[in-house]
Short mmCIF file of all heavy atoms in Angstrom, two decimals:
data_model
loop_
_atom_site.label_atom_id
_atom_site.label_comp_id
_atom_site.label_asym_id
_atom_site.label_seq_id
_atom_site.Cartn_x
_atom_site.Cartn_y
_atom_site.Cartn_z
N THR A 1 -9.21 -1.61 18.06
CA THR A 1 -8.63 -1.64 19.41
C THR A 1 -7.17 -2.05 19.36
O THR A 1 -6.31 -1.43 20.01
CB THR A 1 -9.41 -2.62 20.30
OG1 THR A 1 -10.78 -2.21 20.36
CG2 THR A 1 -8.83 -2.66 21.71
N VAL A 2 -6.87 -3.07 18.59
CA VAL A 2 -5.48 -3.54 18.49
C VAL A 2 -4.63 -2.53 17.73
O VAL A 2 -3.48 -2.26 18.11
CB VAL A 2 -5.42 -4.93 17.82
CG1 VAL A 2 -3.97 -5.35 17.58
CG2 VAL A 2 -6.13 -5.96 18.67
N LEU A 3 -5.18 -1.95 16.67
CA LEU A 3 -4.43 -0.94 15.93
C LEU A 3 -4.06 0.23 16.83
O LEU A 3 -2.96 0.78 16.75
CB LEU A 3 -5.25 -0.43 14.74
CG LEU A 3 -5.42 -1.42 13.58
CD1 LEU A 3 -6.44 -0.89 12.58
CD2 LEU A 3 -4.08 -1.68 12.90
N ARG A 4 -4.97 0.59 17.73
CA ARG A 4 -4.68 1.67 18.67
C ARG A 4 -3.54 1.26 19.62
O ARG A 4 -2.63 2.04 19.90
CB ARG A 4 -5.94 2.02 19.46
CG ARG A 4 -5.84 3.30 20.29
CD ARG A 4 -7.17 3.64 20.94
NE ARG A 4 -8.21 3.91 19.95
CZ ARG A 4 -9.24 3.13 19.71
NH1 ARG A 4 -9.41 2.00 20.39
NH2 ARG A 4 -10.14 3.46 18.79
N ALA A 5 -3.58 0.01 20.09
CA ALA A 5 -2.52 -0.48 20.98
C ALA A 5 -1.19 -0.60 20.25
O ALA A 5 -0.13 -0.45 20.85
CB ALA A 5 -2.92 -1.84 21.56
N MET A 6 -1.26 -0.86 18.96
CA MET A 6 -0.05 -0.93 18.14
C MET A 6 0.50 0.45 17.79
O MET A 6 1.59 0.56 17.26
CB MET A 6 -0.35 -1.68 16.82
CG MET A 6 -0.56 -3.16 16.94
SD MET A 6 -0.95 -3.85 15.29
CE MET A 6 -0.77 -5.61 15.62
N ARG A 7 -0.29 1.47 18.06
CA ARG A 7 0.01 2.85 17.65
C ARG A 7 0.06 2.96 16.14
O ARG A 7 0.93 3.65 15.58
CB ARG A 7 1.33 3.33 18.27
CG ARG A 7 1.13 4.18 19.51
CD ARG A 7 2.44 4.78 19.97
NE ARG A 7 2.67 4.50 21.37
CZ ARG A 7 3.85 4.35 21.94
NH1 ARG A 7 4.94 4.46 21.20
NH2 ARG A 7 3.96 4.11 23.22
N ARG A 8 -0.87 2.31 15.49
CA ARG A 8 -1.04 2.44 14.04
C ARG A 8 -2.10 3.52 13.83
O ARG A 8 -3.24 3.38 14.27
CB ARG A 8 -1.51 1.12 13.43
CG ARG A 8 -0.58 -0.04 13.69
CD ARG A 8 0.66 0.00 12.85
NE ARG A 8 0.40 -0.32 11.45
CZ ARG A 8 1.35 -0.31 10.52
NH1 ARG A 8 2.59 0.03 10.83
NH2 ARG A 8 1.06 -0.61 9.27
N SER A 9 -1.76 4.56 13.14
CA SER A 9 -2.62 5.75 13.08
C SER A 9 -3.65 5.68 11.95
O SER A 9 -3.84 6.63 11.20
CB SER A 9 -1.77 7.01 12.93
OG SER A 9 -0.84 6.85 11.88
N TYR A 10 -4.30 4.55 11.78
CA TYR A 10 -5.43 4.38 10.87
C TYR A 10 -6.34 3.34 11.51
O TYR A 10 -5.95 2.66 12.47
CB TYR A 10 -4.98 3.92 9.48
CG TYR A 10 -4.20 2.62 9.53
CD1 TYR A 10 -4.84 1.39 9.44
CD2 TYR A 10 -2.82 2.63 9.68
CE1 TYR A 10 -4.13 0.20 9.53
CE2 TYR A 10 -2.10 1.45 9.77
CZ TYR A 10 -2.75 0.24 9.69
OH TYR A 10 -2.06 -0.93 9.78
N ARG A 11 -7.55 3.22 10.99
CA ARG A 11 -8.48 2.24 11.52
C ARG A 11 -9.01 1.41 10.35
O ARG A 11 -8.75 1.67 9.19
CB ARG A 11 -9.62 2.95 12.28
CG ARG A 11 -9.13 3.77 13.47
CD ARG A 11 -8.50 2.91 14.55
NE ARG A 11 -7.94 3.70 15.65
CZ ARG A 11 -6.65 3.93 15.81
NH1 ARG A 11 -5.76 3.47 14.93
NH2 ARG A 11 -6.22 4.64 16.85
N GLN A 12 -9.80 0.40 10.69
CA GLN A 12 -10.29 -0.54 9.68
C GLN A 12 -10.98 0.17 8.52
O GLN A 12 -10.74 -0.14 7.35
CB GLN A 12 -11.26 -1.53 10.32
CG GLN A 12 -11.82 -2.54 9.36
CD GLN A 12 -12.93 -3.40 9.97
OE1 GLN A 12 -14.06 -3.37 9.49
NE2 GLN A 12 -12.61 -4.16 11.02
N GLU A 13 -11.84 1.13 8.83
CA GLU A 13 -12.58 1.83 7.78
C GLU A 13 -11.64 2.55 6.83
O GLU A 13 -11.83 2.52 5.61
CB GLU A 13 -13.56 2.82 8.42
CG GLU A 13 -14.44 3.54 7.40
CD GLU A 13 -15.43 4.49 8.04
OE1 GLU A 13 -15.38 4.65 9.29
OE2 GLU A 13 -16.25 5.07 7.32
N ARG A 14 -10.62 3.19 7.36
CA ARG A 14 -9.65 3.90 6.54
C ARG A 14 -8.90 2.92 5.64
O ARG A 14 -8.71 3.16 4.44
CB ARG A 14 -8.68 4.65 7.45
CG ARG A 14 -7.33 5.03 6.85
CD ARG A 14 -7.41 6.18 5.90
NE ARG A 14 -6.07 6.62 5.51
CZ ARG A 14 -5.79 7.23 4.38
NH1 ARG A 14 -6.75 7.49 3.51
NH2 ARG A 14 -4.55 7.59 4.09
N PHE A 15 -8.48 1.78 6.19
CA PHE A 15 -7.73 0.80 5.41
C PHE A 15 -8.58 0.27 4.27
O PHE A 15 -8.14 0.24 3.11
CB PHE A 15 -7.28 -0.35 6.32
CG PHE A 15 -6.37 -1.32 5.63
CD1 PHE A 15 -4.99 -1.18 5.67
CD2 PHE A 15 -6.90 -2.41 4.92
CE1 PHE A 15 -4.15 -2.08 5.03
CE2 PHE A 15 -6.07 -3.30 4.27
CZ PHE A 15 -4.70 -3.14 4.33
N LEU A 16 -9.79 -0.17 4.56
CA LEU A 16 -10.65 -0.71 3.51
C LEU A 16 -11.02 0.36 2.48
O LEU A 16 -11.22 0.07 1.30
CB LEU A 16 -11.91 -1.32 4.13
CG LEU A 16 -11.69 -2.64 4.88
CD1 LEU A 16 -12.98 -3.08 5.56
CD2 LEU A 16 -11.18 -3.73 3.93
N GLY A 17 -11.09 1.62 2.93
CA GLY A 17 -11.35 2.72 2.00
C GLY A 17 -10.24 2.88 0.98
O GLY A 17 -10.49 3.17 -0.20
N ILE A 18 -8.99 2.69 1.42
CA ILE A 18 -7.85 2.76 0.50
C ILE A 18 -7.94 1.63 -0.52
O ILE A 18 -7.77 1.85 -1.73
CB ILE A 18 -6.52 2.68 1.27
CG1 ILE A 18 -6.32 3.91 2.14
CG2 ILE A 18 -5.35 2.51 0.30
CD1 ILE A 18 -5.14 3.81 3.08
N ILE A 19 -8.23 0.42 -0.04
CA ILE A 19 -8.34 -0.73 -0.94
C ILE A 19 -9.43 -0.47 -1.99
O ILE A 19 -9.25 -0.76 -3.18
CB ILE A 19 -8.66 -2.01 -0.15
CG1 ILE A 19 -7.58 -2.28 0.90
CG2 ILE A 19 -8.82 -3.20 -1.10
CD1 ILE A 19 -6.20 -2.46 0.36
N GLU A 20 -10.56 0.07 -1.55
CA GLU A 20 -11.66 0.36 -2.46
C GLU A 20 -11.25 1.37 -3.53
O GLU A 20 -11.56 1.22 -4.71
CB GLU A 20 -12.86 0.88 -1.67
CG GLU A 20 -14.10 1.12 -2.51
CD GLU A 20 -15.29 1.60 -1.70
OE1 GLU A 20 -15.16 1.70 -0.46
OE2 GLU A 20 -16.35 1.88 -2.29
N LYS A 21 -10.54 2.42 -3.12
CA LYS A 21 -10.10 3.44 -4.08
C LYS A 21 -9.08 2.87 -5.08
O LYS A 21 -9.12 3.19 -6.27
CB LYS A 21 -9.48 4.63 -3.34
CG LYS A 21 -10.48 5.50 -2.61
CD LYS A 21 -9.78 6.66 -1.93
CE LYS A 21 -10.77 7.58 -1.23
NZ LYS A 21 -10.10 8.71 -0.55
N VAL A 22 -8.17 2.04 -4.58
CA VAL A 22 -7.18 1.43 -5.46
C VAL A 22 -7.86 0.55 -6.50
O VAL A 22 -7.55 0.60 -7.70
CB VAL A 22 -6.15 0.61 -4.64
CG1 VAL A 22 -5.27 -0.24 -5.56
CG2 VAL A 22 -5.28 1.54 -3.80
N ARG A 23 -8.82 -0.24 -6.05
CA ARG A 23 -9.51 -1.15 -6.98
C ARG A 23 -10.38 -0.37 -7.98
O ARG A 23 -10.54 -0.79 -9.13
CB ARG A 23 -10.38 -2.12 -6.18
CG ARG A 23 -9.53 -3.11 -5.36
CD ARG A 23 -9.66 -4.53 -5.91
NE ARG A 23 -8.57 -5.38 -5.43
CZ ARG A 23 -8.57 -5.99 -4.26
NH1 ARG A 23 -9.59 -5.84 -3.44
NH2 ARG A 23 -7.55 -6.76 -3.91
N ALA A 24 -10.93 0.76 -7.54
CA ALA A 24 -11.72 1.58 -8.46
C ALA A 24 -10.85 2.15 -9.56
O ALA A 24 -11.26 2.23 -10.73
CB ALA A 24 -12.42 2.70 -7.69
N ALA A 25 -9.63 2.57 -9.21
CA ALA A 25 -8.72 3.15 -10.20
C ALA A 25 -7.99 2.10 -11.01
O ALA A 25 -7.66 2.32 -12.18
CB ALA A 25 -7.70 4.05 -9.48
N MET A 26 -7.74 0.93 -10.38
CA MET A 26 -6.98 -0.15 -11.04
C MET A 26 -7.65 -1.48 -10.72
O MET A 26 -7.23 -2.18 -9.78
CB MET A 26 -5.52 -0.14 -10.53
CG MET A 26 -4.74 1.10 -10.90
SD MET A 26 -3.18 1.23 -9.96
CE MET A 26 -3.79 1.83 -8.37
N PRO A 27 -8.68 -1.86 -11.44
CA PRO A 27 -9.41 -3.10 -11.14
C PRO A 27 -8.53 -4.35 -11.14
O PRO A 27 -8.86 -5.34 -10.48
CB PRO A 27 -10.46 -3.17 -12.25
CG PRO A 27 -10.64 -1.75 -12.69
CD PRO A 27 -9.28 -1.12 -12.56
N ASP A 28 -7.42 -4.30 -11.88
CA ASP A 28 -6.55 -5.47 -11.97
C ASP A 28 -5.45 -5.48 -10.91
O ASP A 28 -4.58 -6.35 -10.91
CB ASP A 28 -5.90 -5.52 -13.36
CG ASP A 28 -5.03 -4.28 -13.63
OD1 ASP A 28 -5.25 -3.23 -12.99
OD2 ASP A 28 -4.13 -4.37 -14.49
N ALA A 29 -5.48 -4.55 -9.97
CA ALA A 29 -4.41 -4.45 -8.98
C ALA A 29 -4.34 -5.68 -8.09
O ALA A 29 -5.37 -6.19 -7.62
CB ALA A 29 -4.60 -3.20 -8.12
#
C-alpha cells in the first residue's frame, strides 16, 4: 500500500524475489 502511494513500481514479493535470486547466485553477498 505504501509502495503504491510512493509510486514505487514493485511490491514486497518482487523485492524479496530479487534478494532470493541474488543469494542463490552469490551466497556471500
